[in-house]
Amino acid sequence: MNSNHSLPRIRYSTYLWVLAVLLALTLISVLITYMDLGRFTILGALSIATGKSFLVLWHYMHLKHENRFYLAMIALVLLVFVAVLVFTFLDYGLK
């Protein structure tokens, strides 16, 4: 981050809404473990965790105000992560 770069002011209500969504998603991810969804239990929990990590990166770490290069690097990492997940679930499903 450049030293001359200043972030726009973000209202506290935005942070509180993001916190509320994160808490709700945490509750949902705990509740999903009690449901019998078969193979989809792990997929649901990982999908919720991915959404929560996106919210943290986007709002609390201020990625929405960063340079496009950083966003491209994050997208590349997420693409590799999704590829690893797909291969993991394919291996899990074929056993």
Side-chain angles (χ1 to χ4, degrees):
M1 193 180 213
N2 192 349
S3 61
N4 296 331
H5 183 79
S6 63
L7 293 173
R9 291 180 79 54
I10 300 172
R11 299 180 351 187
Y12 287 116
S13 63
T14 302
Y15 288 120
L16 291 175
W17 275 108
V18 173
L19 176 64
V21 170
L22 287 172
L23 289 173
L25 288 174
T26 300
L27 179 66
I28 292 170
S29 65
V30 169
L31 293 176
I32 203 170
T33 60
Y34 293 108
M35 296 179 196
D36 184 23
L37 300 176
R39 294 182 184 172
F40 296 109
T41 303
I42 297 172
L43 181 64
L46 287 176
S47 298
I48 293 171
T50 303
K52 287 175 19 182
S53 64
F54 174 76
L55 282 174
V56 169
L57 286 170
W58 195 250
H59 288 285
Y60 290 117
M61 297 180 74
H62 307 288
L63 275 184
K64 66 180 176 179
H65 303 293
E66 284 295 336
N67 189 346
R68 297 266 186 226
F69 175 75
Y70 295 123
L71 294 176
M73 291 297 108
I74 295 292
L76 179 65
V77 168
L78 289 176
L79 183 65
V80 170
F81 175 70
V82 167
V84 168
L85 280 180
V86 166
F87 287 125
T88 300
F89 280 111
L90 284 174
D91 182 48
Y92 178 72
L94 296 175
K95 285 187 177 183

